[in-house]
Short mmCIF file of all heavy atoms in Angstrom, two decimals:
data_model
loop_
_atom_site.label_atom_id
_atom_site.label_comp_id
_atom_site.label_asym_id
_atom_site.label_seq_id
_atom_site.Cartn_x
_atom_site.Cartn_y
_atom_site.Cartn_z
N VAL M 71 2.64 15.51 17.77
CA VAL M 71 2.94 14.79 19.10
C VAL M 71 4.32 14.00 18.92
O VAL M 71 4.36 13.15 17.99
CB VAL M 71 1.75 13.81 19.49
CG1 VAL M 71 2.25 12.99 20.73
CG2 VAL M 71 0.57 14.61 19.72
N PHE M 72 5.27 14.36 19.67
CA PHE M 72 6.60 13.82 19.57
C PHE M 72 6.94 13.00 20.89
O PHE M 72 7.06 13.54 21.85
CB PHE M 72 7.65 14.98 19.24
CG PHE M 72 9.08 14.52 19.09
CD1 PHE M 72 9.44 14.16 17.75
CD2 PHE M 72 9.88 14.33 20.14
CE1 PHE M 72 10.75 13.70 17.54
CE2 PHE M 72 11.19 13.95 19.86
CZ PHE M 72 11.66 13.70 18.66
N ARG M 73 7.29 11.71 20.59
CA ARG M 73 7.79 10.94 21.67
C ARG M 73 9.09 10.26 21.07
O ARG M 73 9.11 9.42 20.20
CB ARG M 73 6.79 9.89 22.03
CG ARG M 73 5.60 10.39 22.74
CD ARG M 73 4.62 9.21 23.16
NE ARG M 73 3.37 9.80 23.65
CZ ARG M 73 2.32 10.09 22.93
NH1 ARG M 73 2.39 9.78 21.71
NH2 ARG M 73 1.29 10.51 23.49
N MET M 74 10.22 10.73 21.61
CA MET M 74 11.50 10.33 21.20
C MET M 74 11.61 8.70 21.08
O MET M 74 12.20 8.18 20.14
CB MET M 74 12.69 10.98 21.95
CG MET M 74 14.03 10.61 21.30
SD MET M 74 14.15 11.33 19.56
CE MET M 74 15.45 10.42 18.99
N ALA M 75 11.17 8.07 22.09
CA ALA M 75 11.16 6.70 22.17
C ALA M 75 10.56 6.09 20.92
O ALA M 75 10.91 5.08 20.34
CB ALA M 75 10.62 6.16 23.47
N ASP M 76 9.36 6.53 20.61
CA ASP M 76 8.62 5.99 19.43
C ASP M 76 9.31 6.34 18.07
O ASP M 76 9.39 5.44 17.25
CB ASP M 76 7.25 6.59 19.45
CG ASP M 76 6.33 6.12 20.65
OD1 ASP M 76 6.68 5.11 21.22
OD2 ASP M 76 5.35 6.89 20.92
N VAL M 77 9.81 7.51 18.06
CA VAL M 77 10.43 7.88 16.84
C VAL M 77 11.73 7.03 16.61
O VAL M 77 11.93 6.40 15.52
CB VAL M 77 10.98 9.36 16.83
CG1 VAL M 77 11.90 9.66 15.74
CG2 VAL M 77 9.78 10.31 16.81
N ARG M 78 12.43 6.86 17.60
CA ARG M 78 13.58 6.07 17.65
C ARG M 78 13.37 4.56 17.33
O ARG M 78 13.98 3.89 16.43
CB ARG M 78 14.42 6.09 18.92
CG ARG M 78 15.75 5.44 19.10
CD ARG M 78 16.50 5.76 20.37
NE ARG M 78 17.53 4.92 20.60
CZ ARG M 78 18.72 5.11 20.11
NH1 ARG M 78 18.95 6.05 19.21
NH2 ARG M 78 19.70 4.22 20.42
N ARG M 79 12.37 3.97 18.02
CA ARG M 79 11.97 2.56 17.84
C ARG M 79 11.53 2.23 16.46
O ARG M 79 11.99 1.31 15.81
CB ARG M 79 10.91 2.19 18.87
CG ARG M 79 10.43 0.75 18.70
CD ARG M 79 9.26 0.42 19.78
NE ARG M 79 8.25 1.43 19.93
CZ ARG M 79 7.18 1.63 18.99
NH1 ARG M 79 7.20 0.99 18.05
NH2 ARG M 79 6.39 2.74 19.17
N THR M 80 10.65 3.12 15.87
CA THR M 80 10.04 2.78 14.60
C THR M 80 11.14 3.03 13.47
O THR M 80 11.15 2.25 12.48
CB THR M 80 8.89 3.68 14.29
OG1 THR M 80 9.06 5.09 14.44
CG2 THR M 80 7.63 3.20 15.19
N SER M 81 11.95 4.09 13.61
CA SER M 81 12.91 4.36 12.64
C SER M 81 13.97 3.29 12.68
O SER M 81 14.36 2.75 11.56
CB SER M 81 13.61 5.69 12.90
OG SER M 81 14.68 5.92 12.05
N LEU M 82 14.49 2.90 13.79
CA LEU M 82 15.48 1.85 13.89
C LEU M 82 15.02 0.49 13.46
O LEU M 82 15.67 -0.26 12.83
CB LEU M 82 16.13 1.72 15.35
CG LEU M 82 16.88 2.96 15.69
CD1 LEU M 82 17.40 2.83 17.17
CD2 LEU M 82 18.09 3.16 14.76
N ALA M 83 13.69 0.24 13.72
CA ALA M 83 13.11 -1.04 13.17
C ALA M 83 13.09 -1.04 11.65
O ALA M 83 13.45 -2.18 11.11
CB ALA M 83 11.70 -1.19 13.74
N ALA M 84 12.86 0.01 11.04
CA ALA M 84 12.88 0.04 9.61
C ALA M 84 14.21 -0.35 9.15
O ALA M 84 14.47 -1.01 8.09
CB ALA M 84 12.30 1.31 9.03
#
Side-chain angles (χ1 to χ4, degrees):
V71 175
F72 182 89
R73 292 182 186 90
M74 187 60 199
D76 294 338
V77 170
R78 185 174 169 80
R79 179 181 44 75
T80 56
S81 176
L82 292 177

